[in-house]
């Protein structure tokens, strides 16, 4: 792959050499014929000759300069604000310092479970291009420097095998063990560091605090097949339980780590060889509470846009501001194609796909978020009594009102009309008809290496799928993705399922592919265990997308992109081709809170032992960073969340820390979902 990268640039070098030689020869000829030029004329002629061959280099320099300037500006602002950042709070402002003065001490061992992309990865075996990187970070910490030094080599080593979902031949990348592996995602950007510092202040250290590192690229079951990660986690929890006077463990997963640990709960009690053999009652014996931070229990819509076009709102905005930069063939970047090629080898991405289909996420004309208002700066807040919102606290709850409900159920729409018109006004043609008409794959050998699976698709099928006035729900979008990414979906769907179980007693649900879907598995028989759904609210979060066909039809090109030219009216949920709902910027409230608010509340078929569940929401307040931030990652430095975790680790129950605390429209959304419990 590195040779391909150099091959693309070779013509520029050859052309420059030829031009230089030609220029020199011409000068000799001019001198021999006695042609006299003024100094100004000579300068103009030389500038014109060099303009063509320098244009590419100048463009690269400008792009690099912009990136470096932006990076250094961010670092400058970070250091200027250092005294006010979470990691450098004065001791008296850290919740642990205050709680320690009140006599709070750590009692229960704590296990932290990182989420997707937040855990460090290091190289153990690589190709020649990775010489000198043995046991050096490729991801997290300072590992991102390799992206600038050797980008194609870096991407090759982060990729997994496209058929097995495991290591490619000659490459071994492994998770960085211990707390060091996930304390910072990059220098200056904390992940777990602030929480760890607070835990340390009330007595936590190596013997009662553990980071459950795993390779977040793999399917959950493959972390056990390749690394025995689930077995290591089981052994560590058992050891911490015994070493700390038989005190049950408090587990704190974040983001995708929530689904990973949900998989573990079923795995640990399942008989071998598929499970860990802990037997029924293992969870009841060893686990006190699970405090889920930013949980993505029911998936996230942005996983769909990632698979379809390697985009989210941020990438789409940048693409609109600087068209052609990310897709530039002249500069040789093609960044999105590279990102797609790598991420489509990660099975974990499919674990984040929306679960529950149209029952949870809505259909063509209905969604649970109906009546949600999107002008977050002008929301009205109404105080409800505890009997109105079924919470045992006096916090105010947001009641959202909007004139024209957004059709959030249409997660992917091609054209704005397809996102707003009634379903009866849309064409009746469905994706399956296109599949029957054009089922053959049409690999274009002239494209060379197939960077993405789009290179193997019939171009006519691509155009038909992306025709305007077509929309896809949480159910039909799986047909769409199976068509545009068949290799990825065939491999990953052997490890993950996204439906709703009709009968949980059916033996098929004993298979590991169902264990990370809370709608297709039962919680363990552990009535004294507690589960918390802790997440931020009040931040616009991606919920659905308006797409268009890409203007380019070249080989190695992603044919679809978010239509950033599409906007709604003032205060609309639609901005630059993205519909927003309430959430923490990454995970919608619906995915983060539904299971604790309704799916597991009391004794249900998904929670037969009646494990107590609590919804703990943290309201977004200015400033949007630091100790009050509630965004998906920054919330791990939020002092209110940290205090909740410290109190639970010190022995408090959910009722003792205040029970449910709900600001969002979560309960109203839950009532609109007709799910058999």
């Amino acid at each position: 792959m590195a040779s391909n990268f150099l091959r693309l640039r070779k013509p520029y070098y050859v052309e420059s050499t030829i031009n230089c030689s030609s220029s020199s020869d011409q000068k000799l000829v001019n001198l021999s014929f006695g042609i006299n030029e003024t100094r100004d004329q000579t300068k103009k002629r030389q500038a014109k000759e060099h303009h063509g061959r320098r244009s590419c280099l100048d463009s690269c320099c400008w792009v690099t300069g912009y990136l470096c300037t932006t990076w250094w500006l961010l670092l400058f602002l970070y250091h200027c604000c250092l005294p006010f950042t979470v990691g450098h709070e004065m001791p008296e402002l850290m919740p642990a310092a205050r709680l320690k003065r009140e006599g709070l001490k750590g009692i229960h061992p704590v296990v932290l479970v990182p989420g997707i992309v937040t855990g460090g990865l290091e190289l153990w075996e690589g190709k020649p291009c990775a010489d000198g990187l043995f046991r050096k970070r490729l991801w997290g910490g300072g590992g991102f420097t390799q992206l600038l030094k050797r980008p194609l080599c870096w991407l090759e080593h982060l990729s997994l095998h496209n058929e097995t979902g495991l290591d490619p031949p000659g490459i071994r990348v492994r998770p960085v063990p211990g707390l060091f592996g996930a304390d910072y995602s990059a220098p200056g950007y904390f992940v777990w560091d602030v929480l760890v510092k607070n835990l340390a202040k009330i007595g936590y250290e190596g013997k009662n605090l553990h980071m459950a590192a795993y390779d977040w690229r793999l399917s959950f079951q493959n972390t056990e097949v390749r690394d025995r990660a689930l077995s290591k986690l089981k052994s560590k929890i058992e050891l911490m339980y015994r070493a700390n006077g038989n005190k049950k463990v408090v587990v704190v997963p974040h983001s995708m780590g929530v689904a990973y640990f949900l998989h573990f709960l079923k795995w640990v009690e399942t008989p071998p060889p598929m499970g860990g053999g802990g037997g029924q009652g293992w969870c009841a014996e060893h686990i006190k509470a699970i405090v889920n931070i930013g949980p993505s229990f029911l998936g996230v819509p942005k996983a769909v846009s990632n698979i379809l076009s390697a985009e989210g709102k941020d990438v789409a905005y940048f693409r609109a501001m600087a068209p052609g930069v990310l897709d530039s063939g002249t500069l040789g970047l093609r960044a999105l194609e590279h990102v797609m090629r790598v991420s489509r080898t990660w099975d974990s991405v499919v674990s984040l796909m929306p679960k529950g289909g149209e029952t949870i996420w809505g259909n063509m004309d209905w969604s649970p978020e109906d009546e949600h208002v999107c002008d977050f700066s002008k929301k009205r807040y109404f105080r409800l009594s505890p009997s109105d919102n079924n919470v045992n606290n006096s916090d105010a709850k947001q009641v959202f009102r909007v004139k024209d409900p957004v059709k959030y159920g249409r997660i992917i729409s091609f054209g704005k009309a397809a996102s707003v018109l009634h379903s009866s006004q849309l064409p009746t043609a469905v994706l399956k008809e296109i599949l029957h008409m054009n089922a053959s794959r049409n690999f274009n050998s002239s494209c060379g290496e197939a960077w993405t699976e789009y290179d193997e698709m019939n171009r006519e099928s691509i155009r038909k799928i992306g025709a305007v006035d077509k929309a896809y729900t949480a159910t039909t979008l799986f047909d769409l993705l199976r068509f545009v990414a068949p290799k990825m979906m065939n491999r990953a769907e052997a490890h993950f399922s996204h439906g709703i179980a009709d009968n949980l007693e059916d033996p098929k649900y004993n298979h590991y592919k169902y264990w990370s879907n809370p709608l297709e598995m039962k919680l363990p028989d552990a009535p004294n265990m507690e589960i918390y759904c802790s997440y931020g609210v009040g931040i616009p979060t991606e919920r659905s997308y308006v797409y268009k066909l890409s203007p380019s039809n070249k080989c190695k090109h992603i044919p679809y992109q978010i239509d950033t030219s599409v906007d709604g009216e003032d205060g609309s949920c639609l901005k630059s081709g993205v519909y927003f709902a309430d959430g923490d910027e990454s995970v919608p409230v619906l995915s983060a809170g539904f299971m604790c608010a309704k799916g597991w509340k009391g004794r249900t078929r998904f929670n037969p032992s009646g494990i107590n569940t609590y919804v703990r929401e943290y309201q977004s307040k200015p400033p949007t960073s630091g100790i009050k931030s509630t965004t998906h990652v920054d919330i791990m430095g939020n002092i209110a969340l940290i205090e909740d975790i410290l109190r639970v680790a010190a022995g408090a129950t959910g009722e003792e820390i205040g029970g449910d605390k709900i600001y969002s429209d979560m309960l109203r959304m839950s009532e609109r979902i007709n799910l058999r419990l």
Side-chain angles (χ1 to χ4, degrees):
M1 190 170 298
S3 62
N4 292 338
F5 183 80
L6 293 174
R7 194 181 305 122
L8 289 171
R9 285 149 179 76
K10 186 175 180 180
Y12 296 114
Y13 173 78
V14 174
E15 182 183 356
S16 299
T17 305
I18 294 173
N19 288 340
C20 289
S21 300
S22 301
S23 178
S24 300
D25 292 342
Q26 185 64 37
K27 288 179 181 179
L28 292 175
V29 172
N30 290 343
L31 289 172
S32 65
F33 280 89
I35 297 176
N36 296 321
E37 298 177 339
T38 65
R39 183 173 298 176
D40 291 341
Q41 289 174 328
T42 302
K43 289 182 178 180
K44 290 180 180 179
R45 179 177 55 79
Q46 290 177 342
K48 185 176 181 180
E49 290 174 352
H50 286 272
H51 175 73
R53 66 175 178 267
R54 289 178 61 87
S55 60
C56 177
L57 180 61
D58 289 343
S59 299
C60 291
C61 290
W62 274 110
V63 172
T64 303
Y66 279 129
L67 293 175
C68 292
T69 301
T70 302
W71 174 253
W72 286 111
L73 177 60
L74 290 174
L75 283 180
F76 173 78
L77 292 175
Y78 169 77
H79 288 291
C80 285
C81 301
L82 202 59
F84 304 102
T85 57
V86 152
H88 299 271
E89 286 293 322
M90 298 299 290
E92 61 268 24
L93 296 180
M94 298 182 72
R98 172 172 50 82
L99 295 175
K100 184 178 180 180
R101 289 195 296 269
E102 296 174 4
L104 193 78
K105 294 182 179 180
I107 296 177
H108 296 273
V110 174
V111 172
L112 310 176
V113 185
I116 190 169
V117 310
T118 56
L121 299 174
E122 61 186 13
L123 183 69
W124 280 81
E125 179 184 4
K127 299 294 180 68
C129 67
D131 286 346
L133 295 181
F134 176 69
R135 293 202 64 198
K136 298 291 181 62
R137 286 203 185 193
L138 294 184
W139 189 278
F144 298 110
T145 57
Q146 299 305 321
L147 173 62
L148 300 177
K149 294 179 180 179
R150 33 189 145 184
L152 295 183
C153 182
W154 182 77
L155 289 169
E156 181 182 9
H157 285 76
L158 283 177
S159 300
L160 295 171
H161 194 279
N162 198 39
E163 294 181 2
T164 65
L166 297 170
D167 294 328
I171 294 177
R172 283 186 294 147
V173 174
R174 297 294 182 264
V176 179
L179 295 171
F180 177 69
D183 52 358
Y184 282 83
S185 62
Y189 296 91
F190 69 87
V191 183
W192 293 94
D193 178 73
V194 180
L195 176 58
V196 170
K197 286 179 179 177
N198 277 272
L199 287 167
K201 284 188 175 293
I202 61 170
Y204 283 91
E205 54 189 22
K207 67 180 180 181
N208 56 0
L209 180 61
H210 173 68
M211 178 71 71
Y214 64 98
D215 191 334
W216 44 262
R217 302 172 301 161
L218 301 174
S219 73
F220 303 155
Q221 193 68 9
N222 273 345
T223 64
E224 173 65 15
V225 170
R226 196 194 71 178
D227 301 335
R228 297 294 182 264
L230 298 174
S231 294
K232 292 176 184 177
L233 178 54
K234 174 177 179 286
S235 298
K236 189 65 178 181
I237 290 176
E238 291 172 341
L239 176 61
M240 295 174 74
Y241 170 77
R242 293 192 299 268
N244 290 276
N246 293 342
K247 296 294 183 182
K248 294 182 181 180
V249 174
V250 173
V251 183
V252 186
H254 173 247
S255 189
M256 191 190 76
V258 168
Y260 181 75
F261 195 74
L262 195 64
H263 179 98
F264 172 84
L265 292 179
K266 192 71 174 179
W267 174 88
V268 73
E269 295 190 347
T270 299
M274 189 177 294
Q280 188 175 5
W282 187 96
C283 294
E285 179 181 357
H286 293 91
I287 301 176
K288 173 193 184 293
I290 307 171
V291 184
N292 301 292
I293 304 176
S296 55
F297 281 122
L298 300 178
V300 291
K302 67 191 311 180
V304 181
S305 64
N306 179 278
I307 296 174
L308 189 61
S309 63
E311 288 180 291
K313 66 176 178 66
D314 296 328
V315 173
Y317 291 167
F318 179 79
R319 201 178 201 175
M321 289 187 295
V325 173
L326 293 177
D327 308 312
S328 174
T330 303
L331 300 180
L333 298 178
R334 306 203 67 87
L336 295 184
E337 282 80 359
H338 281 299
V339 169
M340 176 175 284
R341 176 176 56 84
V342 175
S343 63
R344 282 193 176 185
T345 68
W346 299 343
D347 289 341
S348 59
V349 173
V350 177
S351 77
L352 293 171
M353 290 283 292
K355 302 177 179 70
E358 295 180 1
T359 300
I360 299 294
W361 295 92
N363 56 32
M364 295 288 282
D365 295 310
W366 167 88
S367 68
E369 294 97 333
D370 286 348
E371 299 184 12
H372 167 67
V373 65
C374 297
D375 190 345
F376 283 73
S377 64
K378 298 180 180 179
K379 281 180 180 175
R380 290 186 177 182
Y381 300 90
F382 300 88
R383 183 172 299 277
L384 303 179
S385 66
S387 61
D388 290 330
N389 59 9
N390 195 30
V391 296
N392 50 9
N393 63 68
S394 59
D395 290 320
K397 180 188 174 185
Q398 299 174 2
V399 179
F400 303 145
R401 299 283 183 249
V402 65
K403 292 182 179 179
D404 300 317
V406 179
K407 295 175 171 44
Y408 283 120
R410 306 176 190 188
I411 295 180
I412 298 293
S413 301
F414 283 93
K416 183 177 180 179
S419 70
V420 296
L421 292 175
H422 191 273
S423 58
S424 62
Q425 297 176 272
L426 298 178
T428 57
V430 294
L431 180 65
K432 291 184 179 179
E433 296 177 10
I434 299 176
L435 299 183
H436 289 302
M437 292 171 57
N438 252 312
S440 62
R441 313 297 285 178
N442 182 26
F443 175 70
N444 188 344
S445 59
S446 65
C447 288
E449 178 192 359
W451 287 17
T452 68
E453 293 190 66
Y454 284 120
D455 293 324
E456 302 179 20
M457 285 185 63
N458 182 285
R459 309 308 290 183
E460 181 62 23
S461 297
I462 288 177
R463 286 190 290 271
K464 287 184 177 180
I465 290 173
V468 295
D469 298 344
K470 284 191 175 66
Y472 300 91
T473 68
T475 298
T476 58
L477 65 83
F478 279 91
D479 290 329
L480 171 65
L481 296 179
R482 291 181 190 114
F483 186 65
V484 301
K487 294 178 181 178
M488 176 187 189
M489 297 301 290
N490 287 340
R491 183 189 68 244
E493 286 190 301
H495 290 264
F496 299 105
S497 179
H498 302 82
I500 299 175
D502 293 325
N503 178 15
L504 286 169
E505 303 303 324
D506 190 325
K508 77 173 186 178
Y509 292 110
N510 293 327
H511 191 274
Y512 59 76
K513 69 179 290 184
Y514 301 102
W515 294 349
S516 61
N517 182 356
L519 302 175
E520 294 183 307
M521 59 89 71
K522 292 188 292 186
L523 291 177
D525 185 8
N528 294 323
M529 190 172 78
E530 295 181 330
I531 296 179
Y532 298 80
C533 293
S534 306
Y535 54 90
V537 298
I539 303 175
T541 303
E542 297 168 58
R543 179 61 168 83
S544 57
Y545 305 87
V546 179
Y547 268 81
K548 67 176 181 180
L549 279 171
S550 174
S552 175
N553 195 33
K554 296 179 180 179
C555 294
K556 299 181 181 178
H557 193 83
I558 299 173
Y560 310 118
Q561 65 183 66
I562 296 174
D563 190 352
T564 53
S565 66
V566 175
D567 282 297
E569 299 177 356
D570 291 341
S572 170
C573 302
L574 176 61
K575 181 180 180 182
S576 299
V578 181
Y579 281 99
F580 293 92
D582 195 6
D584 66 1
E585 195 174 55
S586 293
V587 182
V589 166
L590 178 64
S591 177
F594 174 78
M595 293 309 298
C596 284
K598 183 176 181 179
W600 289 330
K601 204 68 172 180
R603 290 182 182 270
T604 70
R605 64 192 184 104
F606 306 110
N607 180 18
S609 66
I611 295 172
N612 287 328
T613 63
Y614 300 95
V615 178
R616 301 287 291 179
E617 294 185 345
Y618 303 89
Q619 191 175 3
S620 177
K621 300 177 181 178
T624 56
S625 61
I627 60 176
K628 295 183 179 180
S629 176
T630 62
T631 59
H632 189 62
V633 175
D634 287 351
I635 193 175
M636 299 173 74
N638 183 287
I639 57 174
L641 171 66
I642 292 175
E643 181 171 340
D644 283 351
I645 295 173
L646 297 181
R647 290 189 182 279
V648 172
T653 65
E655 294 297 330
E656 290 171 341
I657 67 171
D660 290 335
K661 182 175 65 174
I662 301 176
Y663 298 104
S664 74
D665 202 24
M666 183 68 254
L667 294 178
R668 291 179 181 269
M669 284 189 282
S670 298
E671 292 170 1
R672 299 186 188 111
I673 295 176
N674 185 20
L675 176 67
R676 182 173 64 86
L677 298 177

